[in-house]
Amino acid sequence: MKKKIVLAVLFVLPVVVYLFFASGVNNFGRLPILSENVSDVSAFDPSVELKDKITILGFLGNNVGTKQGNAFNLNQKIYKRFGEFNDFQIVMAIPKGNEDQVVELKNELGKLSNVDKWHFAFGSDTEIRELFNSLKSNIDLDEDLFTPNVFIIDKDLMLRGRTDDEDEGVKYGFDTSSVAELNNKMVDDVKIILAEYRLALKKNNADRSK
């Protein structure tokens, strides 16, 4: 009798554990939507597009050369980890007039990794502000149109983030000047949104094969 109970537990327990985690992915493994209808950078720079991409969106402002540390942190902690995923990209919205500084930054980043999915969209000061305001966040751009925060934008132009962050409550962006924040928070959230889309893709493929 005891052997039957042990065998039953050994058989049933893995199934229960699987169902628990599977339901967790479906019910709790989605990154909350904080804002909808984020503007697309293609409105002012047709060479770059957010739609149908998982984008890390940033604003480096008018003094790009002094913000290389922020870009390097993002490159090392996020881009090098996730840059090989399909449809993943980093986009920096930059005021016109900073083209030469961006070339220098991209050359420096290129010494550390492949930069094929680093994109820079150039617009007027007004266009940059309008894009930023469409995020509807609690974060401000400074007078140089810079913020150290970057934002996760999904394929449908929705801002994703946290609604129950232990430090901020609602968390709209991630501070690129903090390696700890990138490591301890942003890595997890990028993992979640990538897993979310992979799960949706598998489901669509399974549905088509029926």
Side-chain angles (χ1 to χ4, degrees), residues 10-133:
L10 290 175
F11 175 76
V12 172
L13 186 61
V15 176
V16 172
V17 170
Y18 170 78
L19 290 174
F20 174 80
F21 284 108
S23 64
V25 169
N26 289 321
N27 296 325
F28 307 106
R30 294 178 63 85
L31 201 61
I33 296 169
L34 303 183
S35 302
E36 299 183 8
N37 300 316
V38 174
S39 298
D40 200 322
V41 296
S42 61
F44 57 81
D45 189 337
S47 68
V48 187
E49 189 171 17
L50 306 186
K51 180 68 174 174
D52 297 324
K53 299 285 186 181
I54 298 168
T55 302
I56 308 304
L57 177 64
F59 299 81
L60 286 180
N62 276 303
N63 293 293
V64 175
T66 64
K67 306 301 186 300
Q68 287 192 4
N70 299 83
F72 289 163
N73 287 345
L74 187 62
N75 188 74
Q76 295 301 102
K77 300 304 177 182
I78 302 299
Y79 182 78
K80 288 180 75 172
R81 186 163 188 160
F82 302 109
E84 296 302 316
F85 284 88
N86 290 335
D87 303 326
F88 177 89
Q89 63 179 357
I90 290 180
V91 174
M92 292 290 156
I94 310 284
K96 291 177 180 177
N98 289 277
E99 287 82 355
D100 289 344
Q101 291 188 66
V102 166
V103 170
E104 182 179 346
L105 172 60
K106 202 164 185 178
N107 287 338
E108 291 300 318
L109 290 172
K111 296 176 182 178
L112 304 172
S113 64
N114 183 306
V115 291
D116 288 351
K117 294 183 180 179
W118 270 90
H119 302 294
F120 299 86
F122 296 95
S124 68
D125 289 9
T126 298
E127 289 166 334
I128 300 296
R129 287 195 181 279
E130 287 177 349
L131 170 63
F132 183 82
N133 290 339

